Amino acid sequence: RSAMGPCALLALALVLLVLLALLRWAWSRGPNPFAADSRRPPAPVVTDKAARRAVLKAVFSADKIPAGLDAIVIGSGIGGLAAAVLLAKAGRRVLVLEQHGKLGGCCHTFSEKGFEFDAGIHYVGQMQEGSLARFIVDQLTEGQLDWAPMPAVYDAVVLGEPGRSKAYRICSGRKGYSDGLKEQFPGEVVAVEKFEQLVKSVSKGIVALGILKMLPLPLARLLCRSGLLPRLSPFCRMASRSLKDVVDGLTANAELRAVFSYIFPTYGVLPSKASFSMHSVLVNHYLRGAWYPKGGPGEIAFHTIPIIQKAGGNVLGRAPVQSILLDSQGRACGVSVRKGQDLVNIFAPTIVSDAGIFNTYERLLPAEARALPEIQSQLRMAKHGEASFSVFVGLNGSSKELGLEATNYFIYPGNNLDEIMKRYLTSSREEAAKNIPILFVTCPSAKDPLWEIRHPGKSTLAIVTFAKYEWFEEWKDEQVKKRGDAYEDVKKTFVDAIMQVVFKLYPHVEDKVEYISGGSPLTNQHYIASPRGEIYGMDHDIARMQAEAVAAVRPQTAVPNLYLTGQDVFVCGFAGALQGAFLCASAILKRNLYLDVLWLKKRTQATNNKKRD
């Protein structure tokens, strides 16, 4: 028998250290937010405007600050609200502060001229009954948030001009997805199967992201440098390979390459710079289909805020946090909020930021904390994601009357997605509108089964594409809605170019438009406080998916008592920001909330099975 070599012994020792660290997490110390099943029979959707306004438009004032706060959360996106709910369910009194007048971050809806529009939640995967994601959301909303399934063909991809070019159907279900692509590309069966196998294998490895963020940082760094991760985790093994590189190696069919890659706008990185691992996570996220919140995305905030309030906390808007306060020992101890011309200081032993890494470190922290080596190191790793341009369209007529579909459309002018993206992003402002590379066209009024009850005879479209912040930067210091004719003229060139394509997709709506508005990167900067108009926070490029970068950005910060939550902690989107909240609350409560929720799900399933027996 040959003895184990030194390298093998070191690897074994490291694995044992990791297991011991994970066992430490399994030995939970703080209060458990998932001690009992909090779901209750769903109540009807609340349509009373005054009742909804009282919850979703609560305005900050000093007299609304609860006494004896345990935590303050900056930002009311799902990362902030979910973290606050988890702490509230553990008995903590939490105050959530939102700079905008409408609560919910990218989950909020807004109304213009009688039309309701989504700010950012267009569809969510893995919300099927019985899934862990659905169970978690049910616990966070006490079972009051219901989800409507989208059609079996939840996405369609057009490579060329709508009406003239074929629309490739993306079908739900692992078998439906695979069979649908094989049917549409009959000569590419091997490529489709290989792509599906890679996606399945790599996406399972996303567990490695959570483990790296939960392990003690020195141990996580040691694990990263050991060379073991690529051997143990397909996610880590493929993280350095670009989407374009992998897809180009699977097939020479340009149309199929584009269809494999089409969903990259949902995380905002063009195929040559996107990690195949990140892409796999998004493809896998929707393989079981897609869902939309019944009553619209505003229901998410509407059903989480009362849980925070029930525990003695509050959620308040028009509360722009100016700075995070530190005590004499450099620990976070409160925040300073602007109210009119005054500053209101609020104190709590725990501060959580859902404002994103750039806002938190560069704008809210005082200079001495910003200069800490660990914070500077994280900022050097981080890049701003791409900004976006949106068009919101209000239509006279129901979705059925106008032939609008619940299926989302991804419209590209050609099949070389990387090339058209690069051409656009290197364009001048004057040329950009002629080179728009992607339109994501979605119809909220067709996706929500309660829409006709809430807004009879009206429909809406939302269209999203990329845009460079620099194209609009000269107006950044102007007041919102008062940026002048030159700014409006530039926006109009984008809106007109976008609508020309939309009218080819939906020709019956051209004479039904009652309201239309464009939102530039400056719109995002104003309403969701994204520093450069980005919608996905930090850039989700290959560098961000590397193990050492993953381990470095975690809920705990170099400032004691200050924690991060949301999409910058994990990955983008509703589900990614929710995972950021889970990691954050786990760190604060010193519990592994993933184990807690799994145990609760197992117990409730066993109880339900006994009742059926």
Side-chain angles (χ1 to χ4, degrees), residues 381-419:
M381 288 183 186
K383 291 191 297 186
H384 293 274
E386 294 293 350
S388 71
F389 190 97
S390 303
V391 179
F392 302 99
V393 185
L395 301 165
N396 181 25
S398 70
S399 297
K400 188 175 182 180
E401 292 167 346
L402 299 176
L404 301 175
E405 301 174 55
T407 299
N408 301 314
Y409 278 85
F410 288 75
I411 304 173
Y412 297 92
N415 57 33
N416 191 330
L417 309 190
D418 210 69
E419 182 182 291

mmCIF file of all heavy atoms in Angstrom, residues 381-419:
data_model
loop_
_atom_site.group_PDB
_atom_site.id
_atom_site.type_symbol
_atom_site.label_atom_id
_atom_site.label_comp_id
_atom_site.label_asym_id
_atom_site.label_seq_id
_atom_site.Cartn_x
_atom_site.Cartn_y
_atom_site.Cartn_z
ATOM 1 N N MET A 381 -12.198 45.085 -6.728
ATOM 2 C CA MET A 381 -12.739 43.913 -7.423
ATOM 3 C C MET A 381 -14.024 44.234 -8.182
ATOM 4 O O MET A 381 -14.366 43.558 -9.156
ATOM 5 C CB MET A 381 -13.080 42.806 -6.407
ATOM 6 C CG MET A 381 -11.911 42.109 -5.793
ATOM 7 S SD MET A 381 -12.559 40.802 -4.703
ATOM 8 C CE MET A 381 -11.046 40.219 -3.955
ATOM 9 N N ALA A 382 -14.747 45.246 -7.721
ATOM 10 C CA ALA A 382 -16.097 45.508 -8.218
ATOM 11 C C ALA A 382 -16.095 46.468 -9.403
ATOM 12 O O ALA A 382 -15.301 47.411 -9.448
ATOM 13 C CB ALA A 382 -16.958 46.075 -7.089
ATOM 14 N N LYS A 383 -17.004 46.213 -10.344
ATOM 15 C CA LYS A 383 -17.241 47.122 -11.461
ATOM 16 C C LYS A 383 -18.739 47.387 -11.547
ATOM 17 O O LYS A 383 -19.556 46.512 -11.215
ATOM 18 C CB LYS A 383 -16.768 46.502 -12.782
ATOM 19 C CG LYS A 383 -15.267 46.358 -12.911
ATOM 20 C CD LYS A 383 -14.875 45.985 -14.340
ATOM 21 C CE LYS A 383 -15.441 44.651 -14.729
ATOM 22 N NZ LYS A 383 -14.968 44.194 -16.056
ATOM 23 N N HIS A 384 -19.098 48.579 -12.012
ATOM 24 C CA HIS A 384 -20.514 48.873 -12.217
ATOM 25 C C HIS A 384 -21.055 48.038 -13.375
ATOM 26 O O HIS A 384 -20.394 47.891 -14.415
ATOM 27 C CB HIS A 384 -20.705 50.359 -12.547
ATOM 28 C CG HIS A 384 -20.376 51.272 -11.409
ATOM 29 N ND1 HIS A 384 -21.294 51.603 -10.435
ATOM 30 C CD2 HIS A 384 -19.235 51.923 -11.070
ATOM 31 C CE1 HIS A 384 -20.736 52.431 -9.557
ATOM 32 N NE2 HIS A 384 -19.476 52.631 -9.917
ATOM 33 N N GLY A 385 -22.253 47.503 -13.193
ATOM 34 C CA GLY A 385 -22.905 46.792 -14.283
ATOM 35 C C GLY A 385 -23.399 47.765 -15.341
ATOM 36 O O GLY A 385 -23.342 48.988 -15.179
ATOM 37 N N GLU A 386 -23.895 47.217 -16.457
ATOM 38 C CA GLU A 386 -24.420 48.063 -17.528
ATOM 39 C C GLU A 386 -25.726 48.726 -17.092
ATOM 40 O O GLU A 386 -26.513 48.155 -16.350
ATOM 41 C CB GLU A 386 -24.669 47.242 -18.798
ATOM 42 C CG GLU A 386 -23.415 46.687 -19.441
ATOM 43 C CD GLU A 386 -22.497 47.760 -20.022
ATOM 44 O OE1 GLU A 386 -22.909 48.929 -20.099
ATOM 45 O OE2 GLU A 386 -21.354 47.411 -20.396
ATOM 46 N N ALA A 387 -25.934 49.936 -17.597
ATOM 47 C CA ALA A 387 -27.170 50.663 -17.328
ATOM 48 C C ALA A 387 -28.249 50.245 -18.327
ATOM 49 O O ALA A 387 -27.979 49.513 -19.295
ATOM 50 C CB ALA A 387 -26.913 52.165 -17.402
ATOM 51 N N SER A 388 -29.459 50.735 -18.117
ATOM 52 C CA SER A 388 -30.567 50.330 -18.981
ATOM 53 C C SER A 388 -31.389 51.530 -19.435
ATOM 54 O O SER A 388 -31.326 52.611 -18.844
ATOM 55 C CB SER A 388 -31.486 49.348 -18.249
ATOM 56 O OG SER A 388 -32.220 50.017 -17.242
ATOM 57 N N PHE A 389 -32.142 51.308 -20.488
ATOM 58 C CA PHE A 389 -33.135 52.272 -20.971
ATOM 59 C C PHE A 389 -34.461 51.526 -21.061
ATOM 60 O O PHE A 389 -34.520 50.420 -21.610
ATOM 61 C CB PHE A 389 -32.743 52.822 -22.340
ATOM 62 C CG PHE A 389 -33.587 53.994 -22.775
ATOM 63 C CD1 PHE A 389 -33.134 55.302 -22.589
ATOM 64 C CD2 PHE A 389 -34.837 53.808 -23.347
ATOM 65 C CE1 PHE A 389 -33.912 56.388 -22.971
ATOM 66 C CE2 PHE A 389 -35.627 54.874 -23.727
ATOM 67 C CZ PHE A 389 -35.165 56.171 -23.541
ATOM 68 N N SER A 390 -35.512 52.108 -20.510
ATOM 69 C CA SER A 390 -36.823 51.457 -20.482
ATOM 70 C C SER A 390 -37.864 52.322 -21.177
ATOM 71 O O SER A 390 -37.764 53.554 -21.183
ATOM 72 C CB SER A 390 -37.274 51.206 -19.035
ATOM 73 O OG SER A 390 -36.328 50.437 -18.331
ATOM 74 N N VAL A 391 -38.867 51.676 -21.741
ATOM 75 C CA VAL A 391 -40.026 52.374 -22.298
ATOM 76 C C VAL A 391 -41.277 51.773 -21.671
ATOM 77 O O VAL A 391 -41.430 50.543 -21.625
ATOM 78 C CB VAL A 391 -40.093 52.248 -23.835
ATOM 79 C CG1 VAL A 391 -41.321 52.974 -24.375
ATOM 80 C CG2 VAL A 391 -38.828 52.800 -24.469
ATOM 81 N N PHE A 392 -42.150 52.628 -21.171
ATOM 82 C CA PHE A 392 -43.404 52.212 -20.547
ATOM 83 C C PHE A 392 -44.554 52.705 -21.420
ATOM 84 O O PHE A 392 -44.655 53.899 -21.710
ATOM 85 C CB PHE A 392 -43.514 52.776 -19.135
ATOM 86 C CG PHE A 392 -42.373 52.373 -18.244
ATOM 87 C CD1 PHE A 392 -41.304 53.237 -18.014
ATOM 88 C CD2 PHE A 392 -42.346 51.126 -17.648
ATOM 89 C CE1 PHE A 392 -40.238 52.870 -17.204
ATOM 90 C CE2 PHE A 392 -41.282 50.743 -16.838
ATOM 91 C CZ PHE A 392 -40.234 51.613 -16.616
ATOM 92 N N VAL A 393 -45.419 51.766 -21.830
ATOM 93 C CA VAL A 393 -46.481 52.083 -22.786
ATOM 94 C C VAL A 393 -47.838 51.730 -22.191
ATOM 95 O O VAL A 393 -48.051 50.583 -21.759
ATOM 96 C CB VAL A 393 -46.280 51.302 -24.108
ATOM 97 C CG1 VAL A 393 -47.315 51.733 -25.147
ATOM 98 C CG2 VAL A 393 -44.868 51.498 -24.648
ATOM 99 N N GLY A 394 -48.749 52.700 -22.168
ATOM 100 C CA GLY A 394 -50.124 52.472 -21.737
ATOM 101 C C GLY A 394 -51.044 52.413 -22.946
ATOM 102 O O GLY A 394 -50.990 53.286 -23.821
ATOM 103 N N LEU A 395 -51.878 51.380 -23.017
ATOM 104 C CA LEU A 395 -52.698 51.121 -24.207
ATOM 105 C C LEU A 395 -54.183 51.098 -23.866
ATOM 106 O O LEU A 395 -54.583 50.618 -22.793
ATOM 107 C CB LEU A 395 -52.304 49.783 -24.826
ATOM 108 C CG LEU A 395 -50.851 49.647 -25.267
ATOM 109 C CD1 LEU A 395 -50.505 48.188 -25.521
ATOM 110 C CD2 LEU A 395 -50.586 50.480 -26.510
ATOM 111 N N ASN A 396 -54.990 51.576 -24.794
ATOM 112 C CA ASN A 396 -56.441 51.543 -24.660
ATOM 113 C C ASN A 396 -56.950 50.231 -25.235
ATOM 114 O O ASN A 396 -56.844 49.994 -26.437
ATOM 115 C CB ASN A 396 -57.056 52.740 -25.398
ATOM 116 C CG ASN A 396 -58.567 52.769 -25.279
ATOM 117 O OD1 ASN A 396 -59.121 52.223 -24.337
ATOM 118 N ND2 ASN A 396 -59.222 53.380 -26.247
ATOM 119 N N GLY A 397 -57.481 49.368 -24.380
ATOM 120 C CA GLY A 397 -57.955 48.061 -24.804
ATOM 121 C C GLY A 397 -57.367 46.964 -23.939
ATOM 122 O O GLY A 397 -56.274 47.119 -23.382
ATOM 123 N N SER A 398 -58.082 45.864 -23.825
ATOM 124 C CA SER A 398 -57.590 44.751 -23.019
ATOM 125 C C SER A 398 -56.500 44.006 -23.786
ATOM 126 O O SER A 398 -56.382 44.124 -25.010
ATOM 127 C CB SER A 398 -58.734 43.787 -22.685
ATOM 128 O OG SER A 398 -59.148 43.106 -23.863
ATOM 129 N N SER A 399 -55.740 43.210 -23.058
ATOM 130 C CA SER A 399 -54.679 42.425 -23.693
ATOM 131 C C SER A 399 -55.257 41.476 -24.738
ATOM 132 O O SER A 399 -54.683 41.285 -25.814
ATOM 133 C CB SER A 399 -53.906 41.629 -22.641
ATOM 134 O OG SER A 399 -53.253 42.502 -21.748
ATOM 135 N N LYS A 400 -56.421 40.903 -24.429
ATOM 136 C CA LYS A 400 -57.066 39.984 -25.366
ATOM 137 C C LYS A 400 -57.478 40.713 -26.640
ATOM 138 O O LYS A 400 -57.246 40.230 -27.757
ATOM 139 C CB LYS A 400 -58.281 39.332 -24.696
ATOM 140 C CG LYS A 400 -58.918 38.223 -25.517
ATOM 141 C CD LYS A 400 -60.027 37.551 -24.738
ATOM 142 C CE LYS A 400 -60.638 36.404 -25.559
ATOM 143 N NZ LYS A 400 -61.741 35.729 -24.823
ATOM 144 N N GLU A 401 -58.070 41.886 -26.483
ATOM 145 C CA GLU A 401 -58.497 42.668 -27.638
ATOM 146 C C GLU A 401 -57.327 43.071 -28.524
ATOM 147 O O GLU A 401 -57.447 43.123 -29.754
ATOM 148 C CB GLU A 401 -59.241 43.926 -27.178
ATOM 149 C CG GLU A 401 -60.587 43.652 -26.523
ATOM 150 C CD GLU A 401 -61.147 44.870 -25.798
ATOM 151 O OE1 GLU A 401 -60.383 45.845 -25.579
ATOM 152 O OE2 GLU A 401 -62.329 44.840 -25.427
ATOM 153 N N LEU A 402 -56.190 43.357 -27.894
ATOM 154 C CA LEU A 402 -55.030 43.859 -28.640
ATOM 155 C C LEU A 402 -54.082 42.757 -29.092
ATOM 156 O O LEU A 402 -53.087 43.025 -29.759
ATOM 157 C CB LEU A 402 -54.261 44.869 -27.774
ATOM 158 C CG LEU A 402 -55.059 46.113 -27.350
ATOM 159 C CD1 LEU A 402 -54.228 46.983 -26.414
ATOM 160 C CD2 LEU A 402 -55.520 46.912 -28.552
ATOM 161 N N GLY A 403 -54.379 41.510 -28.721
ATOM 162 C CA GLY A 403 -53.521 40.397 -29.122
ATOM 163 C C GLY A 403 -52.190 40.365 -28.402
ATOM 164 O O GLY A 403 -51.193 39.836 -28.938
ATOM 165 N N LEU A 404 -52.149 40.904 -27.181
ATOM 166 C CA LEU A 404 -50.904 40.916 -26.402
ATOM 167 C C LEU A 404 -50.713 39.569 -25.708
ATOM 168 O O LEU A 404 -51.671 38.969 -25.225
ATOM 169 C CB LEU A 404 -50.938 42.043 -25.374
ATOM 170 C CG LEU A 404 -51.118 43.450 -25.943
ATOM 171 C CD1 LEU A 404 -51.248 44.468 -24.813
ATOM 172 C CD2 LEU A 404 -49.961 43.824 -26.858
ATOM 173 N N GLU A 405 -49.478 39.140 -25.608
ATOM 174 C CA GLU A 405 -49.166 37.827 -25.055
ATOM 175 C C GLU A 405 -48.479 37.929 -23.696
ATOM 176 O O GLU A 405 -47.757 38.891 -23.427
ATOM 177 C CB GLU A 405 -48.234 37.062 -26.009
ATOM 178 C CG GLU A 405 -48.789 36.847 -27.396
ATOM 179 C CD GLU A 405 -47.755 36.213 -28.301
ATOM 180 O OE1 GLU A 405 -47.223 35.137 -27.935
ATOM 181 O OE2 GLU A 405 -47.459 36.785 -29.358
ATOM 182 N N ALA A 406 -48.667 36.886 -22.889
ATOM 183 C CA ALA A 406 -47.942 36.803 -21.620
ATOM 184 C C ALA A 406 -46.497 36.367 -21.850
ATOM 185 O O ALA A 406 -45.636 36.572 -20.988
ATOM 186 C CB ALA A 406 -48.639 35.830 -20.681
ATOM 187 N N THR A 407 -46.207 35.772 -22.986
ATOM 188 C CA THR A 407 -44.835 35.373 -23.334
ATOM 189 C C THR A 407 -43.949 36.611 -23.471
ATOM 190 O O THR A 407 -44.344 37.602 -24.079
ATOM 191 C CB THR A 407 -44.836 34.599 -24.661
ATOM 192 O OG1 THR A 407 -45.636 33.422 -24.514
ATOM 193 C CG2 THR A 407 -43.427 34.212 -25.085
ATOM 194 N N ASN A 408 -42.750 36.546 -22.887
ATOM 195 C CA ASN A 408 -41.764 37.621 -23.065
ATOM 196 C C ASN A 408 -41.050 37.439 -24.397
ATOM 197 O O ASN A 408 -40.755 36.306 -24.794
ATOM 198 C CB ASN A 408 -40.703 37.581 -21.953
ATOM 199 C CG ASN A 408 -41.303 37.718 -20.574
ATOM 200 O OD1 ASN A 408 -42.134 38.569 -20.325
ATOM 201 N ND2 ASN A 408 -40.860 36.860 -19.665
ATOM 202 N N TYR A 409 -40.730 38.555 -25.050
ATOM 203 C CA TYR A 409 -39.976 38.500 -26.303
ATOM 204 C C TYR A 409 -38.592 39.122 -26.128
ATOM 205 O O TYR A 409 -38.468 40.224 -25.597
ATOM 206 C CB TYR A 409 -40.725 39.233 -27.416
ATOM 207 C CG TYR A 409 -41.804 38.393 -28.059
ATOM 208 C CD1 TYR A 409 -43.078 38.311 -27.505
ATOM 209 C CD2 TYR A 409 -41.535 37.646 -29.201
ATOM 210 C CE1 TYR A 409 -44.067 37.522 -28.081
ATOM 211 C CE2 TYR A 409 -42.511 36.852 -29.790
ATOM 212 C CZ TYR A 409 -43.770 36.794 -29.226
ATOM 213 O OH TYR A 409 -44.742 36.005 -29.798
ATOM 214 N N PHE A 410 -37.572 38.383 -26.582
ATOM 215 C CA PHE A 410 -36.210 38.903 -26.682
ATOM 216 C C PHE A 410 -35.949 39.112 -28.168
ATOM 217 O O PHE A 410 -35.873 38.136 -28.929
ATOM 218 C CB PHE A 410 -35.199 37.912 -26.112
ATOM 219 C CG PHE A 410 -35.224 37.787 -24.611
ATOM 220 C CD1 PHE A 410 -36.237 37.090 -23.965
ATOM 221 C CD2 PHE A 410 -34.220 38.361 -23.837
ATOM 222 C CE1 PHE A 410 -36.250 36.967 -22.579
ATOM 223 C CE2 PHE A 410 -34.229 38.244 -22.450
ATOM 224 C CZ PHE A 410 -35.252 37.552 -21.822
ATOM 225 N N ILE A 411 -35.847 40.362 -28.583
ATOM 226 C CA ILE A 411 -35.713 40.674 -30.005
ATOM 227 C C ILE A 411 -34.307 41.199 -30.286
ATOM 228 O O ILE A 411 -33.887 42.229 -29.731
ATOM 229 C CB ILE A 411 -36.766 41.716 -30.439
ATOM 230 C CG1 ILE A 411 -38.181 41.219 -30.098
ATOM 231 C CG2 ILE A 411 -36.651 42.017 -31.930
ATOM 232 C CD1 ILE A 411 -39.276 42.252 -30.325
ATOM 233 N N TYR A 412 -33.584 40.489 -31.148
ATOM 234 C CA TYR A 412 -32.241 40.880 -31.570
ATOM 235 C C TYR A 412 -32.259 41.155 -33.071
ATOM 236 O O TYR A 412 -32.958 40.444 -33.816
ATOM 237 C CB TYR A 412 -31.233 39.763 -31.281
ATOM 238 C CG TYR A 412 -31.054 39.420 -29.824
ATOM 239 C CD1 TYR A 412 -31.804 38.419 -29.223
ATOM 240 C CD2 TYR A 412 -30.128 40.104 -29.041
ATOM 241 C CE1 TYR A 412 -31.643 38.096 -27.882
ATOM 242 C CE2 TYR A 412 -29.950 39.790 -27.694
ATOM 243 C CZ TYR A 412 -30.708 38.791 -27.122
ATOM 244 O OH TYR A 412 -30.553 38.475 -25.791
ATOM 245 N N PRO A 413 -31.494 42.129 -33.560
ATOM 246 C CA PRO A 413 -31.478 42.403 -35.007
ATOM 247 C C PRO A 413 -30.712 41.372 -35.827
ATOM 248 O O PRO A 413 -30.778 41.375 -37.052
ATOM 249 C CB PRO A 413 -30.806 43.781 -35.097
ATOM 250 C CG PRO A 413 -29.978 43.888 -33.866
ATOM 251 C CD PRO A 413 -30.703 43.120 -32.803
ATOM 252 N N GLY A 414 -29.972 40.488 -35.170
ATOM 253 C CA GLY A 414 -29.206 39.472 -35.880
ATOM 254 C C GLY A 414 -28.857 38.343 -34.937
ATOM 255 O O GLY A 414 -29.296 38.308 -33.783
ATOM 256 N N ASN A 415 -28.042 37.388 -35.424
ATOM 257 C CA ASN A 415 -27.734 36.226 -34.578
ATOM 258 C C ASN A 415 -26.350 36.266 -33.941
ATOM 259 O O ASN A 415 -26.020 35.397 -33.142
ATOM 260 C CB ASN A 415 -27.912 34.924 -35.372
ATOM 261 C CG ASN A 415 -27.061 34.875 -36.632
ATOM 262 O OD1 ASN A 415 -25.951 35.418 -36.667
ATOM 263 N ND2 ASN A 415 -27.583 34.226 -37.681
ATOM 264 N N ASN A 416 -25.526 37.279 -34.267
ATOM 265 C CA ASN A 416 -24.226 37.413 -33.594
ATOM 266 C C ASN A 416 -24.399 38.387 -32.433
ATOM 267 O O ASN A 416 -24.144 39.577 -32.540
ATOM 268 C CB ASN A 416 -23.163 37.912 -34.576
ATOM 269 C CG ASN A 416 -21.763 37.801 -33.991
ATOM 270 O OD1 ASN A 416 -21.567 37.890 -32.773
ATOM 271 N ND2 ASN A 416 -20.772 37.609 -34.842
ATOM 272 N N LEU A 417 -24.872 37.849 -31.313
ATOM 273 C CA LEU A 417 -25.271 38.698 -30.195
ATOM 274 C C LEU A 417 -24.101 39.493 -29.629
ATOM 275 O O LEU A 417 -24.249 40.648 -29.235
ATOM 276 C CB LEU A 417 -25.909 37.846 -29.089
ATOM 277 C CG LEU A 417 -27.036 36.890 -29.521
ATOM 278 C CD1 LEU A 417 -27.729 36.305 -28.296
ATOM 279 C CD2 LEU A 417 -28.035 37.570 -30.434
ATOM 280 N N ASP A 418 -22.940 38.886 -29.600
ATOM 281 C CA ASP A 418 -21.774 39.577 -29.053
ATOM 282 C C ASP A 418 -21.374 40.765 -29.932
ATOM 283 O O ASP A 418 -21.109 41.857 -29.427
ATOM 284 C CB ASP A 418 -20.605 38.589 -28.939
ATOM 285 C CG ASP A 418 -19.678 38.928 -27.799
ATOM 286 O OD1 ASP A 418 -20.094 38.789 -26.647
ATOM 287 O OD2 ASP A 418 -18.551 39.365 -28.065
ATOM 288 N N GLU A 419 -21.377 40.547 -31.211
ATOM 289 C CA GLU A 419 -20.965 41.605 -32.133
ATOM 290 C C GLU A 419 -21.916 42.793 -32.087
ATOM 291 O O GLU A 419 -21.484 43.948 -32.032
ATOM 292 C CB GLU A 419 -20.904 41.050 -33.559
ATOM 293 C CG GLU A 419 -20.437 42.053 -34.603
ATOM 294 C CD GLU A 419 -20.453 41.444 -35.993
ATOM 295 O OE1 GLU A 419 -19.627 40.554 -36.249
ATOM 296 O OE2 GLU A 419 -21.305 41.850 -36.805
#
